[in-house]
């Protein structure tokens, strides 16, 4: 059992995957937040332009 724990402690592959997963989650949160913010502002801008044209 102790050899298994020592081998898992020395290997870095699992840590790399976890770090990439955390980075991907942070990037996705930022992208989704930005798209939602820009999307609502763009919708308001297009609506005001459309009403000004009419």
């Amino acid at each position: 059992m102790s050899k298994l724990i020592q081998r898992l402690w020395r290997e870095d592959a699992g840590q790399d995957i976890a770090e990439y997963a955390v980075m991907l989650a942070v990037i996705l949160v930022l992208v989704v937040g930005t798209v939602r913010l820009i999307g609502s502002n763009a919708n308001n801008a297009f609506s005001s332009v459309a009403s000004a044209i009419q």
Side-chain angles (χ1 to χ4, degrees), residues 18-49:
E19 289 171 359
Y20 285 131
V22 170
M23 285 190 331
L24 179 62
V26 169
I27 290 170
L28 285 175
V29 166
L30 290 173
V31 167
V32 168
T34 303
V35 167
R36 293 187 72 149
L37 179 65
I38 291 174
S40 62
N41 288 341
N43 188 21
N44 292 338
F46 286 126
S47 295
S48 64
V49 169

